[in-house]
Amino acid sequence: VVGETGQCYDPEICFGIKHIPDSEGYAHSLMTSDEGAVYISHPTDALPYAIRWMSKTENESAAGICLPSTGEHLGYKNAKEKGQIKYLAPNGTLEFTLRMGWLDAPDAEKMKKKIEKLI
């Protein structure tokens, strides 16, 4: 549970996730509440990782539930050593679709069950 009274993350919480994609090649992330969930889905072929970042102090309360990425949050040198740096040729392009938004409680529960089947 994030954001409980009295919680303080100092420093913030930040970690990388390597999702297991569904049959369409998409990863799914939720941040749930009693009313539903914030949802994001991203293609793992273009963006194989995600960063989750949370900050809770006296002055701030924020969360990046899923920041799709090509590598982890451990810096350029680490990403280069692990082969996570991606390059585009000059004038090159890369296109992909992110799916995100709010799911009401019933749809959030359906997505939660879908995610649980992947792990």
Side-chain angles (χ1 to χ4, degrees), residues 7-63:
Q7 282 185 346
C8 180
Y9 312 144
D10 188 11
E12 73 256 359
I13 297 170
C14 185
F15 57 91
I17 303 167
K18 184 153 175 131
H19 286 91
I20 300 168
D22 66 13
S23 61
E24 296 177 348
Y26 274 77
H28 306 278
S29 296
L30 294 173
M31 183 175 220
T32 63
S33 72
D34 292 338
E35 295 83 28
V38 175
Y39 167 75
I40 185 165
S41 178
H42 66 277
T44 58
D45 60 344
L47 302 163
Y49 295 89
I51 308 304
R52 183 161 288 191
W53 169 83
M54 294 176 276
S55 178
K56 177 77 171 136
T57 67
E58 183 178 317
N59 299 318
E60 54 185 18
S61 184

Side-chain angles (χ1 to χ4, degrees), residues 79-93:
K80 189 169 183 171
E81 288 171 357
K82 291 183 174 180
Q84 297 171 345
I85 303 296
K86 307 295 182 205
Y87 297 95
L88 286 176
N91 299 314
T93 63

Side-chain angles (χ1 to χ4, degrees), residues 86-104:
K86 307 295 182 205
Y87 297 95
L88 286 176
N91 299 314
T93 63
L94 175 64
E95 294 184 30
F96 51 84
T97 301
L98 301 178
R99 303 168 185 161
M100 62 187 89
W102 175 258
L103 300 177
D104 62 17

Side-chain angles (χ1 to χ4, degrees), residues 28-33 36-39 103-119:
H28 306 278
S29 296
L30 294 173
M31 183 175 220
T32 63
S33 72
V38 175
Y39 167 75
L103 300 177
D104 62 17
D107 286 338
E109 188 60 32
K110 288 178 193 172
M111 183 54 64
K112 182 179 175 185
K113 288 179 180 174
K114 179 177 181 171
I115 292 168
E116 287 172 347
K117 287 180 183 177
L118 296 172
I119 50 178

